């Protein structure tokens, strides 16, 4: 007769104890399609922006002095709303303790509004200017723009999926916010500090 307890191991731990110590295996398969599609979106935008012959004009800057001013202010609005997204996500995930019953609605609608503000900016960048790689600031801006829409697509496709690792949405959301912050720095901040703050 051995000294090992029933359903146990030589060190005295039971199968249940070992199961608690062993982290569950994360299933990354459902994340594959969102990441692949997001990557394809980013690459497709970059290829189109590079291959398309810039027209110099895309959308009328109604209410603004010019297209650069329009892009700068709309990107600023999207960036501020993205900040609301980060704050509301921290509340929803319990990182900030607030009892706000409408925080979920705030998170959803601020995200929708931020995305809508980026559409005319992206359209003008791609159609009127194209992806430009000759100036460092513009190169970084072009790459960040493609990356933003790629990671945004991946996040939206991952959102309804079940069984994803807990870090999936915070990581994708954080990457989207970081990309948008970089877009703001390389466009709006440059415009406001170089040309001036004007509508």
């Amino acid at each position: 007769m051995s000294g090992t307890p029933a359903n146990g191991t030589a060190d005295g731990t039971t199968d249940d104890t070992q199961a608690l110590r062993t982290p569950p295996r994360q299933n990354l398969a459902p994340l594959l399609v969102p990441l692949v599609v997001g990557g394809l979106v980013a690459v497709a935008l970059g290829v189109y922006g590079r291959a398309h012959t810039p027209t110099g004009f895309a959308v009328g800057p109604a209410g603004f002095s010019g297209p650069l001013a329009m892009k700068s202010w709309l990107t600023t609005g999207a960036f501020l709303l993205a900040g609301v997204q980060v704050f509301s996500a921290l509340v929803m995930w319990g990182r900030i303790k607030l009892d706000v019953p409408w925080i979920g609605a705030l998170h959803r609608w601020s995200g929708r509004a931020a995305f809508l503000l980026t559409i005319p900016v992206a359209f003008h960048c791609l159609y009127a200017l194209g992806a430009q790689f000759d100036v460092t600031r513009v190169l970084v801006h072009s790459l960040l723009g493609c990356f933003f829409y790629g990671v945004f697509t991946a996040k939206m496709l991952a959102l309804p999926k079940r069984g994803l690792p807990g870090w999936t949405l915070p990581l994708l959301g954080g990457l989207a916010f970081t990309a948008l912050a970089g877009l703001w720095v390389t466009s709006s901040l440059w415009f406001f500090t170089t040309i001036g703050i004007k509508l």
Side-chain angles (χ1 to χ4, degrees):
M1 181 174 178
S2 68
T4 303
N7 297 324
T9 61
D11 62 358
T13 60
T14 64
D15 292 339
D16 291 339
T17 305
Q18 284 185 329
L20 290 174
R21 289 181 181 173
T22 305
R25 181 174 294 177
Q26 295 180 333
N27 184 14
L28 298 179
L31 190 55
L32 184 61
V33 170
L35 290 180
V36 169
V37 174
L40 290 174
V41 167
V43 170
L45 289 174
V47 169
Y48 174 80
R50 196 65 181 153
H52 169 69
T53 302
T55 63
F57 179 81
V59 291
F64 297 97
S65 58
L68 286 180
M70 175 199 71
K71 288 169 52 183
S72 298
W73 284 108
L74 291 182
T75 303
T76 298
F79 179 53
L80 292 175
L81 287 169
V84 174
Q85 282 267 288
V86 172
F87 174 77
S88 57
L90 290 172
V91 174
M92 289 166 56
W93 287 83
R95 298 290 187 247
I96 297 177
K97 304 298 182 186
L98 282 178
D99 185 18
V100 185
W102 40 263
I103 198 70
L106 176 65
H107 185 78
R108 288 189 300 274
W109 283 102
S110 61
R112 291 166 183 164
F115 179 75
L116 288 176
L117 287 179
T118 69
I119 296 297
V121 177
F123 182 71
H124 185 275
C125 285
L126 281 172
Y127 193 72
L129 305 176
Q132 301 177 26
F133 299 153
D134 50 344
V135 178
T136 302
R137 178 188 65 83
V138 181
L139 165 65
V140 172
H141 184 75
S142 298
L143 294 176
L144 282 173
C146 296
F147 178 75
F148 168 76
Y149 280 99
V151 75
F152 180 84
T153 300
K155 182 190 174 189
M156 290 300 101
L157 291 176
L159 198 57
K161 291 188 176 293
R162 297 293 176 259
L164 290 174
W167 48 261
T168 302
L169 294 179
L171 176 62
L172 293 176
L175 288 173
F177 175 78
T178 302
L180 193 54
L183 288 168
W184 183 80
V185 169
T186 56
S187 61
S188 301
L189 182 61
W190 173 85
F191 178 83
F192 295 144
T193 56
T194 304
I195 298 178
I197 300 177
K198 58 182 180 179
L199 292 176

